Each structure stands twice: as structure tokens, then as C-alpha cells.
Amino acid sequence: MTLWQGRFAEGPADELLAFTESLSFDRRLALDDLAGSRAHVAMLARVGLLTGEEATLVHTALDRVGTELLDGTFEFAPADEDIHTAIERRVTELAGPAGAKLHTGRSRNDQVATALRLFFRREGTDVARHVHRLQQVLVASAEAADDVYLPGYTHLQRAQPVLLAHHFLAHFWAFARDVERWRDALGRADVSPLGAGALAGSSLPLDPDGVAAELGFARRFDNSMDAVSDRDFVAEALFVISLAQVHLSRLGEEIVLWSRDEFGFLRLADAYSTGSSMLPQKKNPDIAELARGKTGRLIGDLAGFLATLKGLPLAYNRDLQEDKEPLFDALDQHRLALGAIAGLLASAEIVPARMQAAADTQHSAAVDLAEWLVQRGVPFRDAHARVGELVRHSAERGVPLDEIVLTEPDLGPDALPLLEPGAAVLRRTSPGGAGPASVAEQLIKARARLDEQERWLQLPG
Ligand code: ARG
């Protein structure tokens, strides 16, 4: 039995059901669909479209359906094309004629949009909490890193030494922007579409404002056609996830590099590394690689869904059913990646000796020599050229830079401390820079940001 049997003399073809069903994936919306139905029925009773008795019957049936769905005793029928159909069918079986009034003034178009927004509000917030947890690990790692420094890279070539804490915090701020994006996207999605009907509203005295309030939405839709066609929140979520996953991918790539023997900056805990089926000695960073690898798939979820939307006229089109799988996939995979990377980082061991040895090349203090000359009145461009020459001589003749500096009239012994191991990072004193004072200040800001996020995410501080 279908929801539209009145108009149809024949039942649906098997191929139609097989191709158009969404029950196989939209079961995840069951509890949100029930919540939407409860608010709808309560509203129908308030405006006099259901008697109090009928409303009680339907509420009881909805509760029973909820129990059946949770304990696995709910029986799906072959013609249940989606979770919404299945629930309405079962409510009607349980509540009889009162159940047949459940769909009064409602279409699956506003019903589906409502359930998906309720789902998104909960799941999106949960994923934002996972981003937050990863940020907590990054701050803890930054604090534990103390005065350890390592090379900072540009073009993957050693550029200037930076505090390890500074490096961890660079990732922290990227994820902080991701949390801001979640907050923004969730705020914009906080609109109830229920009461829009199929596309045009209703002749019945519905109360979409009351329903919106009861469901905890900030407001109701302004335009019924927009309400049933708007999937901006799905596209935005897919973008927010894609970008945060790109941030994870960048971090993953660094974990891969840092844990190789050639770098030796990081040792992964056994619990967060994998072995090889053939090579007994291997310890592989599969989590980091998959965080990188799954990024392509999540970008695909975003790109695919935008392509689904691009040709759609107003208002509801069945194409919109394609909103769910990319959203579910992206939320699930991203959440798993966040948890795995957070665990990997929290359990990994850093190797300060390797990091600092890689940073302590005399050439990495070249800009400090140039800035030393600048402080003595030499124009920077000239100072840059001068030090560049010295570095070239050092490299070509195989003479250590300090020996060359020592004999230079405009540098000499006074400039030698610049080349001492660890000196360069101490000299990064400008605000937001890689040295100790600005990193200490950054840590305070990062902590304050975590507190702010905790309040929004309603996490125990
Ligand atoms: N499962 C469908 C979806 O997710 C339900 C909406 C069907 N609406 C309709 N008018 N055929 O979009």
C-alpha cells in the first residue's frame, strides 16, 4: 500500500520501489521524524483539527513506534519507501482513524526537511564537539612541548626554527575557524520548515510558529516554497566538513613525514599504528594516511551534492532525496577521522633531539644575520644580498658559516651568538611569531577560545 493509492489503479512496480526507496539509508532519521510528528500532532490538537482524544491515541502510537524502532521489533513492510512512510503506516495500524489524521496539513516535503534539520542540529553539534576535542589535544601538546623547537618549512625546505608549540597551535587556529563555521552553519539551519506543506502552505489553520518553538527551532520559514526546497544547510555542512577534513589531511601529511625514519620527529603509539602483513619491521601511520585519503571522498560528497542541486527548479524535486547519503557519509567519516587523529596525537611521543638537530643548522639563522645588519642601519635588501653571499661561500667552500661570519668586518664575533643552537627561535619576538613570548600569549588566547567554544557546545568545562 502506498501513501498515494487513491489516484492510482495499479500498485508500484518492483523496479520503481527498488530504485526510488530511501528507507535503506533514511532510517537514521527515525527519531527525528517522530519528534516532528509529535510537534505536528500537538499543534493539530491545539488548533482543533484533532480532538484531545485523537491526539492522545496518535501520541501513544508514536511512542510505541519509537519503542519498536529502538528495540528492533519494528516490522518494515515491502512498500515502505522511506522511514516517514513506514512510521505513518505503523501509526495508522496502531491508532486507526486517528492515525489517519497524522498527515493533516503536512506533506513529506516539509516533513523530510524538518527531520533532516533536526538530525543536522544534533549531529552537526556533535561533530563540532569532535573538532573541539582535537583542539584540546593540540593545546595540551603545545603546552607539553615547552621550549622544544624544530625547523619550520616552506616548500618543504627548512626555513626558520619555530617552537613546536607554535606549530601545534597553527593547526589549532585552523580548527578554531572550523568550529566558527559550524556555529554559523548551524545557526543558519535553525529554521523550521514544518507547515510549508507540499510547497504552498495550507487552507487549514496551521501554526508553524508554535511547531517551530516546540521543536526548539529559532524561527519558522518565511516562504513555503523555499522551506521545502532549501538544502543550503546540507551543502554548507558538506563544505564545513570538507575544509576541516582538508585541515586534517594537512596534519595527516605532517604526521606521515614526521614519523618516517628520515625525520624521526614523532613516534606513534602501537595502538595508533598499523603493521605490515609481510614486512615484520614495519610500523605504519595508516590513520594519518586515511585522514588524508578520505578527504578526496568528502570533497566528492560536496561536489556531487552541489551538482545535484544545480539544475533543480522550485520547489521539491525527488532529486533532493540525494541529500542524505553524502551528508551521512561526510559526518560519519569526518567524525571518525577527528577521533582517530586526536587519539594518535595524544598518544604519540615527540623526539626533541631529532627536531632540534634538524633545526640547528647555521644556515637557518641566515635571516637573523641579515636582521642584525638591518639593526645597524644596512638596508634590508643589501643585508639580504650580503648574507646570501656568505651562505653561498660557506656552501661552496665547505666552510662553516660561523668561521666566515667571524672574519667579516661588518659582522665579526658580536654576531656569532646568532648562530648558536636554539638562538634563532628565541629571537622571534614579534607578536604572533614563533618565539616563546608570543607563543605564551597565544596559549592564553587558545585556552580562552576553548572556553568560549565549550560554552557554545555546552560541554562541561
Ligand atoms: N524519501 C523522500 C525524500 O527523502 C521523501 C519525499 C518524497 N516526496 C515526494 N513528494 N515524493 O526526499
Side-chain angles (χ1 to χ4, degrees), residues 22 26 81-82 84 108-109 112 316 318 320-321 324:
S22 55
D26 65 17
E81 65 168 64
D82 59 22
H84 320 285
R108 264 186 306 160
N109 301 349
V112 168
Y316 179 84
R318 189 64 180 262
L320 291 176
Q321 179 169 290
K324 291 165 209 52

